[in-house]
Amino acid sequence: GILAVSYGFTWWQAMLISMLTVTSAGQFAGIQTMVHPGQYLAMLISQLTINIRYSMMSVSLSQKLDKHFGNAARWILGFFMTDEIFAVAAAEKEVSRPFFSGLAVLPWIGWTLGTLTGSLVGGILPQRLMNALCLALYGMFIAIVVPVAKKESPVLIVVILAMVFSSLFTWVPGLNTVSSGIAVSLCAILAAAVGADIEAVAVLVGDMAHALCLVDVPEPAHVVQDHMGGDGSVGGLAAEVALVVGGHV
């Protein structure tokens, strides 16, 4: 809410964005694209890149839904899918409709009220304090990225690559003229593609070693984990790193 108001949005516009777009990184990239009218294609590409992981999470979680979880409820409650909600629901052996309804709707209400509060307070607080509070978003992204990067070397490589690509789009002449939405998408796609290639090579080497009985290697079924849910999508993680590093993104 504070960030949206600082970009010139009204309190009700900020709240409406928060209600209809349940994605923190997507909102952050979206409002910065919205302040430059006409960049609809850039917004579409950036939102698809950042949020495609939620489709993967939904497919994964659909395997745990009970028989009373109908198609209509899946469509409605799928709107509320986030990293945190997926992480909690995935820990359950079976997910019922009442359980997921409470798990999804309550955070959505809190998110909306938080945005409303921030947008209203943002018009009262001094500009210096508002700028300081906006840094909390970067801190949240760093808190999400660093723990996984410390455990998974492929993710660490994706993080470093996303930082490098985002820095290039921020400071290199010519590249810094690329719109923020396109820049985020390119950073995420390039970093995720390289990370996937590295993982594929690691799996191939593991297969060969296992086949040749050179080492006792467990079955290489591991894939690069998403930062909260383990759904295998590194694009969203790379996009969030790009958001942290890119000053204009």
Side-chain angles (χ1 to χ4, degrees), residues 30-98:
I31 61 175
Q32 297 194 60
T33 307
M34 291 169 68
V35 298
H36 303 290
Q39 297 186 4
Y40 302 114
L41 179 60
M43 180 178 294
L44 175 63
I45 295 175
S46 64
Q47 294 302 312
L48 285 175
T49 304
I50 295 172
N51 300 318
I52 192 65
R53 69 188 188 276
Y54 295 133
S55 298
M56 303 178 187
M57 294 179 188
S58 298
V59 171
S60 175
L61 193 60
S62 67
Q63 309 304 311
K64 292 191 173 186
L65 303 181
D66 65 15
K67 61 181 180 179
H68 301 295
F69 214 121
N71 290 332
R74 296 186 185 207
W75 278 97
I76 296 173
L77 295 178
F79 165 78
F80 298 98
M81 181 65 70
T82 65
D83 304 312
E84 296 79 9
I85 290 174
F86 173 78
V88 174
E92 300 292 318
K93 292 183 178 180
E94 187 177 64
V95 178
S96 65
R97 185 172 58 187

Side-chain angles (χ1 to χ4, degrees), residues 8 13 29 38-39 44 75 82 98 110 116 122 150 159 165 167 170 179 184 212 232 236 248-249:
Q13 290 173 330
Q39 297 186 4
L44 175 63
W75 278 97
T82 65
L116 175 62
K150 291 172 65 176
V159 169
F165 292 143
S167 299
T170 303
S179 65
V184 170
L212 296 174
H248 73 296
V249 176

Side-chain angles (χ1 to χ4, degrees), residues 92-113:
E92 300 292 318
K93 292 183 178 180
E94 187 177 64
V95 178
S96 65
R97 185 172 58 187
F99 171 81
F100 193 82
S101 298
L103 178 64
V105 174
L106 290 178
W108 178 77
I109 295 174
W111 181 281
T112 302
L113 293 178

